[in-house]
Amino acid sequence: MAGLVHISILVPHERCDATLQLLLDRTGITNVVRLTGAALQAAGDVVIFDVAREASNDLLSDLVDRGLTDHRSISVTHSPHSMGTGVPDALDQAPGQ
């Protein structure tokens, strides 16, 4: 078992593809999920994923720099235990590993 950071982002629908591509091009990320149209109060998509703690600060800075917190939100949860097939690769690929 290993700790990852679980992140949920509310993304305007028209910006979701670019946001997903940013995530998929990065190392240290696993369990990427897109919930199209799931955001209700600020209409848009919800993207959830797990990222190795060592890779999370730079990623969060990039997401904020892209304006994703201007009218929507990013939620971060630290989990001391993460299990699954993508977890070891995400942790091994993270900076500093």
Side-chain angles (χ1 to χ4, degrees):
M1 291 187 284
L4 292 177
V5 177
H6 182 75
I7 298 178
S8 175
I9 312 171
L10 302 184
V11 183
H13 180 73
E14 63 275 5
R15 297 182 63 196
C16 196
D17 287 339
T19 301
L20 286 169
Q21 195 58 54
L22 170 75
L23 299 175
L24 296 173
D25 288 345
R26 285 260 174 65
T27 58
I29 295 175
T30 190
N31 302 328
V32 179
V33 177
R34 177 184 190 169
L35 303 170
T36 304
L40 301 178
Q41 287 184 319
D45 299 345
V46 176
V47 175
I48 56 176
F49 59 95
D50 296 316
V51 59
R53 185 175 45 251
E54 297 82 2
S56 64
N57 286 338
D58 288 342
L59 175 63
L60 287 168
S61 293
D62 286 350
L63 294 171
V64 170
D65 289 346
R66 291 171 183 259
L68 292 179
T69 56
D70 291 350
H71 305 287
R72 305 297 196 280
S73 66
I74 298 173
S75 298
V76 180
T77 306
H78 298 273
S79 175
H81 305 289
S82 299
M83 298 169 275
T85 58
V87 173
D89 287 341
L91 294 170
D92 289 343
Q93 295 169 1
Q97 293 299 313

